[in-house]
Amino acid sequence: MTNLTDTIFLSIRSWLTADVLAWIISIPLIIFLAISWFVLTRRVKRLKTQVEAMSDEVGNIEYDLVLKAMKLSTWRVDVPSMTINVESDYREGKDLFIPQKGTPVEKIFKHIATEQAQAVRNAFLNLAAGREEETYQEYQMTNAAGKKYWAAMFATIEKRDLNGRPLTIVGATTCIDTTKQVEQELLEARNHAEESDRLKSAFLANITHEVRTPLHAIVGFSDILPLAQSDEERQNLIDLIKQNNAHLLRLFDDMMNVSKLEAGSYQTIENTDVSILEVLREIADKYTTPCKEKGLTIVVDNTNNHLLQTDHDRLKEIINQYVSNAVKFTETGEIRLGYTKKTDRISIWVRDTGIGIPADKCNDLLFERFVKVNEFVPGTGIGLSICRNLAKSLKAKVGVESVMGKGSIFWIDFFNERKE
């Protein structure tokens, strides 16, 4: 019995000793594992925080890049106080209006052009009252120095209170001067195209009459020429036929010149030493007979020669157009050709004693295509436009002065192009 008891006691003792030993060994291990888990958890949280920070930083960089690319200024408005704070400004230009932090919104409206300020104010107040969710406005701003520029604004509600009333409004502003300039140029181009189409329609309607008139005269006088009873009558008919031939040829020359300008055939410029005096005398000789037939005198004022570095044919065509018009619109008196040397230019001119041109017509519009001062006088209205285009190719400038009933003077100025 004693042996059995001893055996059981020893077994229990042995079991207790092994269990205590296991606990003694396990406790440090459990503590180590707990510490390791805690440290690992801290590290995971730290890494997560770092990753989130890096993600936010990348997002901010991308956000800034977008703002820079679009040249935007971003801002936020506190609706209860109606004050604005600019958060970033990547707009181009040093003279743009930038409100200080906490600037009242109403103060900004005072920098907007009067004709647009009310519309912008109403749109913004509708946002602040929650009547609209977003708005887009274009307006002209004035900075502190008084400089004006065009701006565009987009704004939307960011936060609302529990009752749905707006608390903050966010928006972006950009400068649109370039866009407005392009819009204006496109508008002017469209208007010019429409005006050009209208003038071309008038030209086509007019050219039919202009061509038909000399053709009818040529055909009619040619038919009755064999029936002439005397040499004087025959000569008169021949002179009339020649006059109408010259008029018809002039019409076709003008149309050919316009076609060349349109096709770019006048692009090649051959600059040579051109004798102005020789050109003027050559043209004067050409129009001596037409002037005599009308009782006019054509004179070249200058006697000294002067060489000009330019394109001979283009210069000759411009002066020829001037003299042709002078003969057409002058009934009595004289036509004078000449040139004047000035400090910074040489001016070649044609002066007549014709009917003159109204003061309100003596401007650049007179040199537009298909423009006629007197619709009852034969002509296509393209001669002076040819002169202006040819002068432009020569880097010269055309102009006119006139007094009604006393005559006109047309000129072409060459700047710093003289050669003695």
Side-chain angles (χ1 to χ4, degrees), residues 268-276 279 306-319 346 348 390-397 412-419:
T268 303
I269 299 177
E270 298 181 1
N271 286 330
T272 58
D273 289 340
V274 178
S275 169
I276 300 177
V279 171
H306 183 88
L307 295 181
L308 179 67
Q309 188 76 16
T310 189
D311 188 291
H312 176 274
D313 293 339
R314 298 188 187 208
L315 175 61
K316 183 178 177 181
E317 179 59 31
I318 294 171
I319 304 303
I346 183 166
I348 307 173
L390 291 176
K392 185 177 180 181
S393 69
L394 299 177
K395 298 181 180 179
K397 185 178 180 181
I412 173 173
D413 286 346
F414 290 86
F415 298 86
N416 301 319
E417 293 286 342
R418 295 182 298 168
K419 182 177 180 180

Side-chain angles (χ1 to χ4, degrees), residues 162-176:
L162 296 178
N163 297 319
R165 290 188 295 263
L167 291 176
T168 56
I169 296 173
V170 293
T173 306
T174 186
C175 182
I176 58 170

Side-chain angles (χ1 to χ4, degrees), residues 34-53:
I35 293 173
S36 298
W37 179 81
F38 178 76
V39 171
L40 182 60
T41 302
R42 290 284 300 270
R43 286 182 178 177
V44 169
K45 287 183 178 181
R46 190 181 301 113
L47 287 173
K48 185 177 180 180
T49 302
Q50 292 176 352
V51 169
E52 289 177 351

Side-chain angles (χ1 to χ4, degrees), residues 258-389:
V258 170
S259 298
K260 288 180 181 179
L261 289 169
E262 291 284 354
S265 301
Y266 271 126
Q267 288 181 354
T268 303
I269 299 177
E270 298 181 1
N271 286 330
T272 58
D273 289 340
V274 178
S275 169
I276 300 177
L277 191 59
E278 290 181 7
V279 171
L280 296 180
R281 285 176 175 173
E282 184 180 350
I283 295 176
D285 291 341
K286 175 183 177 180
Y287 285 94
T288 297
T289 300
C291 286
K292 283 183 178 180
E293 292 173 351
K294 295 187 68 174
L296 302 174
T297 302
I298 185 166
V299 181
V300 176
D301 266 8
N302 303 81
T303 56
N304 296 326
N305 196 14
H306 183 88
L307 295 181
L308 179 67
Q309 188 76 16
T310 189
D311 188 291
H312 176 274
D313 293 339
R314 298 188 187 208
L315 175 61
K316 183 178 177 181
E317 179 59 31
I318 294 171
I319 304 303
N320 186 67
Q321 289 282 355
Y322 284 169
V323 176
S324 175
N325 283 344
V327 173
K328 183 189 302 182
F329 293 101
T330 304
E331 297 299 329
T332 59
E334 63 180 10
I335 298 171
R336 307 188 75 89
L337 288 68
Y339 64 89
T340 304
K341 293 186 287 185
K342 302 179 181 179
T343 304
D344 62 338
R345 76 191 73 175
I346 183 166
S347 182
I348 307 173
W349 45 263
V350 175
R351 180 185 290 111
D352 63 60
T353 56
I355 60 176
I357 302 171
D360 61 333
K361 300 290 185 180
C362 293
N363 50 45
D364 289 341
L365 292 178
L366 186 64
F367 291 87
E368 292 287 344
R369 293 182 183 180
F370 319 123
V371 174
K372 296 180 66 175
V373 176
N374 190 336
E375 296 293 338
F376 298 100
V377 177
T380 58
I382 58 178
L384 292 180
S385 69
I386 293 173
C387 292
R388 183 175 67 175
N389 288 328

Side-chain angles (χ1 to χ4, degrees), residues 75-352:
W75 42 266
R76 178 174 277 101
V77 171
D78 179 68
V79 175
S81 64
M82 287 300 284
T83 56
I84 187 171
N85 292 320
V86 176
E87 297 180 344
S88 62
D89 192 352
Y90 295 104
R91 295 174 298 173
E92 292 183 345
K94 299 180 180 179
D95 300 325
L96 305 179
F97 176 73
I98 304 176
Q100 299 295 322
K101 184 177 181 180
T103 299
V105 174
E106 193 63 33
K107 185 177 180 180
I108 297 177
F109 297 145
K110 296 179 180 179
H111 289 267
I112 300 177
T114 305
E115 59 271 20
Q116 298 138 7
Q118 192 58 46
V120 177
R121 179 186 285 105
N122 291 339
F124 203 86
L125 293 179
N126 286 335
L127 272 181
R131 291 188 290 269
E132 293 182 4
E133 190 67 27
E134 60 186 32
T135 186
Y136 175 83
Q137 298 290 324
E138 294 182 1
Y139 47 88
Q140 199 170 28
M141 289 287 292
T142 304
N143 63 10
K147 179 183 176 181
K148 293 183 178 181
Y149 64 93
W150 279 94
M153 171 196 74
F154 178 81
T156 186
I157 297 174
E158 180 188 33
K159 295 180 181 179
R160 296 175 182 267
D161 61 15
L162 296 178
N163 297 319
R165 290 188 295 263
L167 291 176
T168 56
I169 296 173
V170 293
T173 306
T174 186
C175 182
I176 58 170
D177 273 344
T178 303
T179 303
K180 284 295 181 180
Q181 182 179 354
V182 172
E183 287 180 0
Q184 183 62 30
E185 290 174 354
L186 290 174
L187 180 61
E188 291 176 357
R190 186 197 68 181
N191 293 338
H192 182 75
E194 291 176 351
E195 180 66 12
S196 179
D197 287 342
R198 185 188 67 80
L199 292 174
K200 284 181 179 179
S201 298
F203 168 72
L204 291 174
N206 183 49
I207 197 65
T208 304
H209 170 75
E210 294 293 338
V211 172
R212 185 186 293 118
T213 300
L215 277 177
H216 283 176
I218 293 169
V219 172
F221 294 141
S222 298
D223 288 340
I224 65 175
L225 183 60
L227 305 177
Q229 298 297 321
S230 64
D231 291 341
E232 183 181 0
E233 185 179 355
R234 185 178 294 106
Q235 187 60 47
N236 288 335
L237 291 173
I238 291 173
D239 290 341
L240 289 171
I241 291 172
K242 287 182 178 180
Q243 290 176 13
N244 284 279
N245 276 333
H247 179 54
L248 189 61
L249 287 174
R250 190 65 200 166
L251 286 174
F252 285 121
D253 284 343
D254 286 348
M255 288 187 286
M256 286 296 295
N257 284 326
V258 170
S259 298
K260 288 180 181 179
L261 289 169
E262 291 284 354
S265 301
Y266 271 126
Q267 288 181 354
T268 303
I269 299 177
E270 298 181 1
N271 286 330
T272 58
D273 289 340
V274 178
S275 169
I276 300 177
L277 191 59
E278 290 181 7
V279 171
L280 296 180
R281 285 176 175 173
E282 184 180 350
I283 295 176
D285 291 341
K286 175 183 177 180
Y287 285 94
T288 297
T289 300
C291 286
K292 283 183 178 180
E293 292 173 351
K294 295 187 68 174
L296 302 174
T297 302
I298 185 166
V299 181
V300 176
D301 266 8
N302 303 81
T303 56
N304 296 326
N305 196 14
H306 183 88
L307 295 181
L308 179 67
Q309 188 76 16
T310 189
D311 188 291
H312 176 274
D313 293 339
R314 298 188 187 208
L315 175 61
K316 183 178 177 181
E317 179 59 31
I318 294 171
I319 304 303
N320 186 67
Q321 289 282 355
Y322 284 169
V323 176
S324 175
N325 283 344
V327 173
K328 183 189 302 182
F329 293 101
T330 304
E331 297 299 329
T332 59
E334 63 180 10
I335 298 171
R336 307 188 75 89
L337 288 68
Y339 64 89
T340 304
K341 293 186 287 185
K342 302 179 181 179
T343 304
D344 62 338
R345 76 191 73 175
I346 183 166
S347 182
I348 307 173
W349 45 263
V350 175
R351 180 185 290 111
D352 63 60

